[in-house]
Amino acid sequence: MTNRKIAIGVVHKIPADLQKALVANPKALLTWKDITPLARNEWICWVTSAKQSETRNRRIKVGLLKLNSGMRRPCCWAGCIHR
């Protein structure tokens, strides 16, 4: 894994699989750096709240696509229960 620092959320630390995906996708990473810590927290919680590994992997892929398009928060999700 790379030593690049990735900004985290306000409650959650970024999991290794999401961090690796962001580092490999410069456009998504640019959006990630531009959003607020609360918004990053929402993305992290959305990914980690998946109960199955297939769902988690799909959320990472979809999340990267949405971040690439400039989306700042996960859509159609109630939000992080930890805020």
Side-chain angles (χ1 to χ4, degrees):
M1 176 126 32
T2 181
N3 284 337
R4 283 187 182 179
K5 281 199 155 201
I6 302 288
I8 59 170
V10 292
V11 175
H12 303 293
K13 293 182 181 178
I14 188 165
D17 54 352
L18 179 57
Q19 180 172 341
K20 183 178 178 182
L22 284 167
V23 169
N25 192 314
K27 190 172 181 182
L29 183 58
L30 194 62
T31 302
W32 182 264
K33 289 178 179 179
D34 189 51
I35 61 178
T36 66
L38 187 57
R40 288 191 293 267
N41 195 71
E42 298 273 329
W43 285 108
I44 295 167
C45 193
W46 179 64
V47 167
T48 59
S49 67
K51 292 179 177 64
Q52 297 181 1
S53 61
E54 297 87 20
T55 304
R56 182 179 176 124
N57 292 334
R58 182 174 37 81
R59 286 185 182 181
I60 290 173
K61 288 177 187 176
V62 169
L64 290 176
L65 291 172
K66 290 181 177 192
L67 287 164
N68 277 333
S69 71
M71 186 176 251
R72 303 180 73 76
R73 291 185 186 254
C75 176
C76 308
W77 182 62
C80 178
I81 62 169
H82 305 102
R83 56 181 168 131

